[in-house]
Amino acid sequence: MDSFEIISVPPRNPVVRVAALLLRLRAELAAAAVLLTAWVWLGPDHVRDSAGRWVAVPDTGWDTSTRVAVFVAVALVLVGLPWTRRYLFHRGQAVLTRHRVRQALLECRVLNARSRACPLTVWARPTRVGEAVWVVLRAGIGPAAVAEQAEELASACFAREARVIVWPRFTTVVRVEIVRRDPLAPNLIRSDLFRYAAGDVHDHGWPDDPTPRVPAPRTARPAPARPALPLPAVAPRPALDGPSDGGRGGDWSDYV
């Protein structure tokens, strides 16, 4: 018979579960709250009529079509500017990485033995190579249990590598570094070795880079401090380069 495993999850307080859900979705809820507040603030004012219903006050605020056009225009501006686009993209990727790290730990069963609670992913921020996620371990979970799932974490976050670093002061907190790109990659470092490796000294190895390469200025070689010794008219021959009296004679090939 095939073996099977029964995982029992003790019941939790509904208030705690809702609080944990709000903590995980705080970024999405904050963005939705800002959009909803702006939508209501730009809209017309509302008052109650004699029947107790809310009706819009004429000549106040913007109508629905105008507000939609304003929202679309602001979104296009934020996406069109390079710095705002990079900021929003990296922040959104950090939030997605935080959710993916928690889901990977949950699927790999890095849980508390008794309460079956998953570690808390409390914070995530973008870095130069990817994202960094701070994870708070619950009682009964060690840093080694998270470090063993480094490959699974990298695969879940669509990254090339994942590193687990323990906080020096407390082993309860670990930092999961998701590495997506290498700032020291070969396509970011210009080296003259590409020319010689290609067999052409004029090949800089970057056909897609239109930036002209300025050669380094050559400095004049300083004059020698002492005059060079004059060379003899006839170079001296080695002592064993020919037959000699009392010697074995022959050339160098006799001794090789």
Side-chain angles (χ1 to χ4, degrees), residues 73-91:
V74 172
L76 292 177
V77 170
L78 295 178
V79 174
L81 297 177
W83 51 88
T84 55
R85 181 177 65 249
R86 289 193 296 265
Y87 178 82
L88 294 177
F89 175 77
H90 291 312
R91 288 295 175 179

Side-chain angles (χ1 to χ4, degrees), residues 2-252:
D2 296 336
S3 61
F4 60 93
E5 181 181 3
I6 299 178
I7 301 176
S8 61
V9 180
R12 299 182 183 177
N13 192 344
V15 177
V16 176
R17 299 185 63 179
V18 172
L21 180 61
L22 295 178
L23 180 63
R24 293 195 300 269
L25 300 179
R26 61 185 182 273
E28 293 85 345
L29 294 177
V34 170
L35 293 177
L36 182 60
T37 303
W39 180 268
V40 174
W41 183 68
L42 295 176
D45 298 334
H46 290 75
V47 295
R48 290 183 179 272
D49 58 359
S50 58
R53 295 173 299 182
W54 290 98
V55 295
V57 179
D59 300 331
T60 58
W62 294 342
D63 57 356
T64 303
S65 59
T66 305
R67 282 180 288 177
V68 170
V70 170
F71 274 59
V72 171
V74 172
L76 292 177
V77 170
L78 295 178
V79 174
L81 297 177
W83 51 88
T84 55
R85 181 177 65 249
R86 289 193 296 265
Y87 178 82
L88 294 177
F89 175 77
H90 291 312
R91 288 295 175 179
Q93 198 172 34
V95 174
L96 178 61
T97 300
R98 179 164 57 86
H99 294 316
R100 297 291 294 179
V101 167
R102 182 185 181 276
Q103 187 65 27
L105 296 178
L106 185 62
E107 294 293 337
C108 295
R109 297 182 184 178
V110 184
L111 309 173
N112 189 294
R114 184 177 181 275
S115 62
R116 313 302 296 178
C118 184
L120 299 176
T121 52
V122 295
W123 187 256
R125 68 175 182 86
T127 60
R128 293 180 60 87
V129 298
E131 297 85 34
V133 183
W134 276 264
V135 180
V136 177
L137 305 180
R138 299 177 184 266
I141 304 177
V146 181
E148 292 176 355
Q149 312 300 330
E151 295 184 357
E152 287 77 4
L153 291 174
S155 177
C157 298
F158 312 103
R160 58 187 298 179
E161 185 183 358
R163 304 170 184 171
V164 179
I165 302 175
V166 184
W167 199 19
R169 296 184 59 184
F170 306 102
T171 57
T172 309
V173 180
V174 297
R175 185 175 73 251
V176 180
E177 294 186 353
I178 304 299
V179 180
R180 300 184 182 276
R181 50 194 173 271
D182 188 3
L184 300 179
N187 57 350
L188 297 179
I189 299 178
R190 302 177 183 271
S191 176
D192 292 336
L193 295 178
F194 285 105
R195 291 191 255 173
Y196 300 99
D200 185 6
V201 295
H202 301 289
D203 183 13
H204 54 81
W206 306 97
D208 299 332
D209 189 2
T211 304
R213 295 180 56 87
V214 179
R218 296 184 178 181
T219 58
R221 180 177 299 179
R226 295 182 300 176
L229 298 177
L231 297 178
V234 179
R237 302 177 62 184
L240 298 178
D241 196 21
S244 59
D245 297 338
R248 296 182 56 184
D251 55 4
W252 284 103

